[in-house]
Short mmCIF file of all heavy atoms in Angstrom, two decimals:
data_model
loop_
_atom_site.label_atom_id
_atom_site.label_comp_id
_atom_site.label_asym_id
_atom_site.label_seq_id
_atom_site.Cartn_x
_atom_site.Cartn_y
_atom_site.Cartn_z
N HIS A 32 13.02 50.38 -3.36
CA HIS A 32 13.47 51.47 -4.13
C HIS A 32 12.40 52.57 -4.32
O HIS A 32 11.49 52.34 -5.05
CB HIS A 32 14.10 51.05 -5.38
CG HIS A 32 14.62 52.24 -6.21
ND1 HIS A 32 15.50 53.19 -5.79
CD2 HIS A 32 14.21 52.62 -7.52
CE1 HIS A 32 15.75 54.11 -6.68
NE2 HIS A 32 14.99 53.82 -7.80
N HIS A 34 12.25 57.22 -4.20
CA HIS A 34 12.87 58.58 -4.17
C HIS A 34 12.28 59.41 -3.10
O HIS A 34 12.37 60.68 -3.11
CB HIS A 34 12.93 59.24 -5.50
CG HIS A 34 13.73 58.39 -6.59
ND1 HIS A 34 15.02 58.60 -6.78
CD2 HIS A 34 13.30 57.34 -7.36
CE1 HIS A 34 15.45 57.79 -7.81
NE2 HIS A 34 14.31 57.01 -8.08
N TYR A 54 4.72 65.40 -11.74
CA TYR A 54 5.63 64.12 -11.76
C TYR A 54 6.22 64.06 -13.11
O TYR A 54 5.53 64.26 -14.10
CB TYR A 54 4.80 62.95 -11.46
CG TYR A 54 5.46 61.56 -11.35
CD1 TYR A 54 6.74 61.47 -10.90
CD2 TYR A 54 4.82 60.47 -11.76
CE1 TYR A 54 7.40 60.21 -10.66
CE2 TYR A 54 5.39 59.15 -11.53
CZ TYR A 54 6.61 59.07 -11.09
OH TYR A 54 7.20 57.89 -10.95
N HIS A 55 7.49 63.68 -13.29
CA HIS A 55 8.09 63.73 -14.68
C HIS A 55 7.40 62.74 -15.66
O HIS A 55 7.52 63.03 -16.90
CB HIS A 55 9.61 63.67 -14.62
CG HIS A 55 10.10 62.34 -14.14
ND1 HIS A 55 10.28 61.20 -15.04
CD2 HIS A 55 10.73 61.85 -13.02
CE1 HIS A 55 10.76 60.27 -14.32
NE2 HIS A 55 11.05 60.58 -13.10
N TYR A 56 6.77 61.67 -15.18
CA TYR A 56 6.08 60.83 -16.11
C TYR A 56 4.97 61.61 -16.82
O TYR A 56 4.64 61.51 -17.97
CB TYR A 56 5.38 59.68 -15.37
CG TYR A 56 6.26 58.59 -14.80
CD1 TYR A 56 7.57 58.74 -14.43
CD2 TYR A 56 5.83 57.35 -14.60
CE1 TYR A 56 8.38 57.83 -13.84
CE2 TYR A 56 6.59 56.27 -14.06
CZ TYR A 56 7.87 56.58 -13.62
OH TYR A 56 8.65 55.48 -13.04
N ARG A 176 23.42 55.97 -2.80
CA ARG A 176 23.44 56.02 -4.34
C ARG A 176 24.72 56.73 -4.74
O ARG A 176 25.09 57.78 -4.26
CB ARG A 176 22.22 57.00 -4.77
CG ARG A 176 21.95 57.12 -6.24
CD ARG A 176 21.46 55.83 -6.79
NE ARG A 176 21.18 56.01 -8.19
CZ ARG A 176 19.95 55.90 -8.77
NH1 ARG A 176 18.87 55.59 -8.10
NH2 ARG A 176 19.90 56.08 -10.06
N SER A 229 22.64 53.73 -11.27
CA SER A 229 22.06 53.41 -12.53
C SER A 229 23.08 53.51 -13.60
O SER A 229 24.07 54.41 -13.44
CB SER A 229 20.92 54.44 -12.79
OG SER A 229 21.49 55.71 -13.00
N MET A 264 21.41 49.23 -11.88
CA MET A 264 20.28 49.46 -12.74
C MET A 264 20.67 49.92 -14.12
O MET A 264 20.80 51.10 -14.46
CB MET A 264 19.46 50.61 -11.98
CG MET A 264 19.11 50.30 -10.54
SD MET A 264 18.48 51.76 -9.70
CE MET A 264 16.75 51.74 -10.13
N ARG A 269 20.49 58.81 -20.27
CA ARG A 269 20.12 60.10 -19.63
C ARG A 269 20.08 61.08 -20.71
O ARG A 269 20.86 61.20 -21.69
CB ARG A 269 21.04 60.46 -18.58
CG ARG A 269 21.19 59.51 -17.40
CD ARG A 269 20.09 59.69 -16.41
NE ARG A 269 20.22 58.73 -15.25
CZ ARG A 269 19.15 58.37 -14.48
NH1 ARG A 269 18.01 58.93 -14.61
NH2 ARG A 269 19.42 57.47 -13.52
N MET A 277 14.05 66.58 -16.35
CA MET A 277 14.02 65.26 -15.65
C MET A 277 13.21 64.22 -16.54
O MET A 277 13.36 62.97 -16.33
CB MET A 277 13.48 65.31 -14.32
CG MET A 277 13.79 64.11 -13.51
SD MET A 277 12.90 64.15 -11.97
CE MET A 277 14.23 64.48 -10.91
N TRP A 331 10.94 48.51 -13.58
CA TRP A 331 11.50 49.81 -13.43
C TRP A 331 10.90 50.81 -14.43
O TRP A 331 11.00 50.55 -15.71
CB TRP A 331 13.01 49.77 -13.59
CG TRP A 331 13.79 51.11 -13.35
CD1 TRP A 331 13.34 52.18 -12.65
CD2 TRP A 331 15.14 51.36 -13.76
NE1 TRP A 331 14.33 53.22 -12.63
CE2 TRP A 331 15.45 52.59 -13.29
CE3 TRP A 331 16.13 50.72 -14.48
CZ2 TRP A 331 16.62 53.25 -13.67
CZ3 TRP A 331 17.31 51.25 -14.75
CH2 TRP A 331 17.57 52.49 -14.31
N TRP A 332 10.33 51.90 -13.96
CA TRP A 332 10.03 53.06 -14.80
C TRP A 332 9.21 52.85 -15.95
O TRP A 332 7.91 52.69 -15.74
CB TRP A 332 11.38 53.66 -15.18
CG TRP A 332 11.57 55.05 -15.58
CD1 TRP A 332 10.54 56.00 -15.87
CD2 TRP A 332 12.77 55.76 -15.72
NE1 TRP A 332 11.17 57.20 -16.15
CE2 TRP A 332 12.53 57.10 -16.03
CE3 TRP A 332 14.18 55.44 -15.41
CZ2 TRP A 332 13.50 58.07 -16.21
CZ3 TRP A 332 15.12 56.37 -15.56
CH2 TRP A 332 14.81 57.69 -15.99
N ASP A 361 9.46 53.14 -6.81
CA ASP A 361 10.20 54.20 -7.43
C ASP A 361 9.35 55.54 -7.11
O ASP A 361 9.62 56.55 -7.78
CB ASP A 361 10.38 54.09 -8.91
CG ASP A 361 11.80 54.20 -9.40
OD1 ASP A 361 12.37 55.23 -8.94
OD2 ASP A 361 12.34 53.38 -10.17
N ARG A 363 8.25 58.96 -6.18
CA ARG A 363 8.86 60.36 -6.00
C ARG A 363 8.06 61.32 -5.09
O ARG A 363 8.54 62.14 -4.47
CB ARG A 363 9.18 60.99 -7.23
CG ARG A 363 10.39 60.44 -7.93
CD ARG A 363 10.78 61.20 -9.21
NE ARG A 363 12.03 60.59 -9.78
CZ ARG A 363 13.20 61.03 -9.43
NH1 ARG A 363 13.45 61.91 -8.60
NH2 ARG A 363 14.22 60.27 -9.89
O1 LIG B 501 17.63 56.32 -11.60
C1 LIG B 501 16.56 56.14 -10.93
O2 LIG B 501 16.56 55.66 -9.86
C2 LIG B 501 15.21 56.31 -11.71
O3 LIG B 501 14.29 55.64 -11.08
C3 LIG B 501 15.02 57.84 -11.81
O4 LIG B 501 16.12 58.44 -12.27
C4 LIG B 501 13.76 58.09 -12.71
O5 LIG B 501 13.74 59.56 -12.83
C5 LIG B 501 12.49 57.68 -12.10
O6 LIG B 501 11.87 58.37 -11.35
C6 LIG B 501 11.96 56.34 -12.51
O7 LIG B 501 10.89 56.00 -12.05
#
Side-chain angles (χ1 to χ4, degrees):
H32 174 54
H34 296 267
Y54 186 32
H55 66 80
Y56 289 28
R176 185 73 179 242
S229 71
M264 305 169 81
R269 299 280 178 197
M277 196 189 252
W331 183 22
W332 203 342
D361 235 314
R363 282 186 177 269

